[in-house]
Amino acid sequence: MDSLFDSAAEEAHRGQEPLAVRMRPRSLEEVIGQRHLLGPGTPLRRLVEAEAPMSLFLWGPPGTGKTTLAYVVAGVTRRRFVEVSAVSAGVKEVRAAIEQARRELGMSGRQTVLFVDEVHRFNKAQQDALLPAVENRWVTFIGATTENPFFSVISPLLSRSLLLTLEPLSDDDVHAVLERAVADPRGLDGKVRLAPEAAGHLVRLAGGDARRALTYLEAAALIADGEITVEVVERAVDKAAVRYDRQGDQHYDVVSAFIKSMRGSDADAALHYLARMIEAGEDPRFIARRIVIFASEDVGMADPTCLQTAVAAAQAVEFIGLPEGRLNLAQAVIHCALAPKSNAVITAVDAAAADVRRGDIGQVPGHLRDAHYPGAAGLGHGKGYKYPHDFDHGLVRQDHLPEPLRGRRYYRPTRHGAEAGFADRWARIRAFLRGGQAD
């Protein structure tokens, strides 16, 4: 049982805690965001309501509520809360925490929530030390990680635990967090007013991270004279507000300039607009999608590796998020900007689509039709088809386009970069397929 001195010390410290700690939810109903985990009938809610021993992994970006959920689980189920940081704790500290939990369970029957922050930093020996406690349910184990646990957590521990994936908070969620902190007695208690423009700026700066939003809000409140404005936030956070409306003209103007700078091979300008979008809180997945499109639309076969870089950057952003993901985006932007340019890919597919829309399609040649189903042979499907692999160089003369489109040409490669080589090869192949006729 805690002493009166412990309670007094805790009460004295409570007023000195950071705003993000003071505003930590005390029940599942107070948690903002993560509705997919907290709705009626969800596994987490059922486990909490049943007050059953459990083992959880909470996987998600920073500031999405992993520590908060661990505290709420402990509070709602009236369990001791013991936090261990994987950054500083070793096997000795883990075993000591487990042993204390066992003694508490044996003496008073009170269960313990053992929360391990950044559990992906534990090595195999440290994770092995957790197994007996998890298997025997001496503790309710909750591990928080920002990295994919399938790569960073040992299989025996993962298989004995429920994995819950947390999502980045939406702008509305972060806005709700700020409004509550301004008004709540635990927070700023209405002593300052948060201007709408300043709230929007804080939301953009937060990037889906509630803890960051509250940290910036607290810093701004310290120097505000009754009202937190954009200028106050800029002074407190030392970060200028980027005038950028994700739903308005600025969004489209900056994105347009971004694409045109890459198309114009100006890497410096392209990086400037990339930085403007990132700093304004643009969804990095949107930026990545634009780069992937550009790699085929404006570079294409002039540098086929550009698409590989763009796709890799998009996957990296999805995997690690911001701020580190900006490096992957920047690499892809530089590659796209400096690559030789060709719009032959989009020109080719647009020309083919134009013919189809006009009705210039014709019938699929009989020898190219599917001949695998019963009765197809009787219809003449596949008859006369020549299998290219049976011929020298994998090439054989036969018609592939429908009759009305024979000789139609869509792909017209440039002489830029690697596409020059593809242009030479395509010219030789077309000449062979058309029996030596010139285009």
Side-chain angles (χ1 to χ4, degrees):
M1 181 175 180
D2 294 333
S3 70
L4 292 175
F5 295 105
D6 291 334
S7 298
E10 183 178 339
E11 186 67 28
H13 175 64
R14 189 169 295 135
Q16 306 301 317
E17 292 173 326
L19 180 61
V21 174
R22 302 201 306 273
M23 291 306 303
R24 189 165 279 151
R26 294 160 295 190
S27 67
L28 292 178
E29 285 67 31
E30 286 189 7
V31 176
I32 294 175
Q34 312 309 333
R35 297 171 185 82
H36 64 295
L37 299 180
L38 303 173
T42 55
L44 178 59
R45 186 171 283 276
R46 286 203 304 267
L47 285 170
V48 170
E49 291 173 349
E51 297 189 11
M54 65 190 85
S55 177
L56 302 174
F57 277 98
L58 303 176
W59 172 29
T64 51
K66 297 184 290 296
T67 305
T68 290
L69 284 178
Y71 269 102
V72 169
V73 168
V76 172
T77 58
R78 298 178 295 280
R79 298 174 186 175
R80 290 174 65 245
F81 185 84
V82 177
E83 181 174 359
V84 174
S85 173
V87 176
S88 56
V91 174
K92 180 180 177 181
E93 288 80 5
V94 171
R95 287 177 175 163
I98 292 172
E99 186 56 36
Q100 178 62 31
R102 288 185 64 186
R103 284 199 300 268
E104 185 75 22
L105 186 62
M107 293 173 63
S108 65
R110 189 183 183 193
Q111 295 182 359
T112 297
V113 169
L114 177 59
F115 176 63
V116 180
D117 195 17
E118 299 192 81
V119 67
H120 57 272
R121 294 179 181 268
F122 267 174
N123 59 33
K124 183 179 183 300
Q126 291 166 315
Q127 293 185 37
D128 282 336
L130 293 167
L131 274 176
V134 170
E135 196 155 41
N136 295 292
R137 295 193 169 178
W138 296 331
V139 299
T140 288
F141 167 72
I142 302 180
T145 178
T146 55
E147 296 190 7
N148 190 331
F150 290 102
F151 298 133
S152 56
V153 177
I154 60 174
S155 296
L157 189 56
L158 196 57
S159 65
R160 290 165 172 79
S161 308
L162 177 65
L163 174 61
L164 302 178
T165 304
L166 282 72
E167 299 174 350
L169 299 186
S170 68
D171 288 356
D172 289 341
D173 290 334
V174 177
H175 206 281
V177 168
L178 293 170
E179 287 184 340
R180 177 186 291 176
V182 169
D184 197 291
R186 291 178 296 156
L188 303 181
D189 197 18
K191 295 175 181 176
V192 295
R193 177 181 176 271
L194 179 61
E197 298 80 6
H201 185 33
L202 286 169
V203 168
R204 287 192 293 272
L205 290 175
D209 186 328
R211 183 169 54 243
R212 184 186 301 163
L214 291 174
T215 300
Y216 290 166
L217 174 65
E218 185 175 26
L222 289 174
I223 63 172
D225 185 15
E227 182 179 32
I228 299 175
T229 63
V230 171
E231 291 72 24
V232 170
V233 174
E234 288 177 332
R235 292 205 314 271
V237 183
D238 193 24
K239 198 166 189 179
V242 179
R243 312 300 176 188
Y244 182 92
D245 178 3
R246 276 182 279 181
Q247 304 300 322
D249 291 343
Q250 278 287 316
H251 165 83
Y252 296 105
D253 288 346
V254 172
V255 170
S256 175
F258 174 60
I259 297 298
K260 289 172 181 173
S261 296
M262 287 194 293
R263 185 179 295 142
S265 300
D266 191 333
D268 290 333
L271 287 169
H272 166 77
Y273 293 115
L274 171 67
R276 273 175 71 164
M277 289 188 286
I278 291 174
E279 293 300 315
E282 181 62 82
D283 185 346
R285 294 170 297 183
F286 166 79
I287 301 173
R289 287 194 293 270
R290 297 306 309 171
I291 297 172
V292 171
I293 294 168
F294 181 93
S296 289
E297 181 177 352
D298 286 283
V299 177
M301 299 304 290
D303 181 358
T305 67
C306 193
L307 179 60
Q308 297 172 5
T309 301
V311 171
Q315 292 174 336
V317 164
E318 195 73 42
F319 181 60
I320 64 175
L322 294 177
E324 291 85 354
R326 75 190 193 285
L327 303 175
N328 311 111
L329 293 174
Q331 180 177 344
V333 166
I334 293 170
H335 190 152
C336 286
L338 300 185
K341 304 300 188 293
S342 168
N343 68 346
V345 169
I346 188 173
T347 301
V349 71
D350 282 353
D355 277 352
V356 171
R357 285 193 294 267
R358 282 195 299 267
D360 292 344
I361 50 177
Q363 296 294 319
V364 174
H367 61 282
L368 298 183
R369 296 183 187 180
D370 181 18
H372 289 88
Y373 63 91
L379 297 173
H381 289 188
K383 184 177 181 180
Y385 174 64
K386 300 172 184 177
Y387 189 54
H389 294 291
D390 291 338
F391 296 83
D392 291 341
H393 308 295
L395 288 173
V396 58
R397 290 192 181 96
Q398 61 183 337
D399 293 323
H400 296 93
L401 279 169
E403 177 64 34
L405 298 172
R406 296 275 167 84
R408 192 66 56 91
R409 182 175 183 177
Y410 297 122
Y411 179 46
R412 299 179 180 275
T414 69
R415 305 297 301 179
H416 304 161
E419 196 164 35
F422 290 102
D424 293 338
R425 176 170 171 77
W426 181 220
R428 293 193 299 271
I429 290 174
R430 276 183 59 84
F432 174 81
L433 295 179
R434 296 180 61 181
Q437 299 178 22
D439 286 327

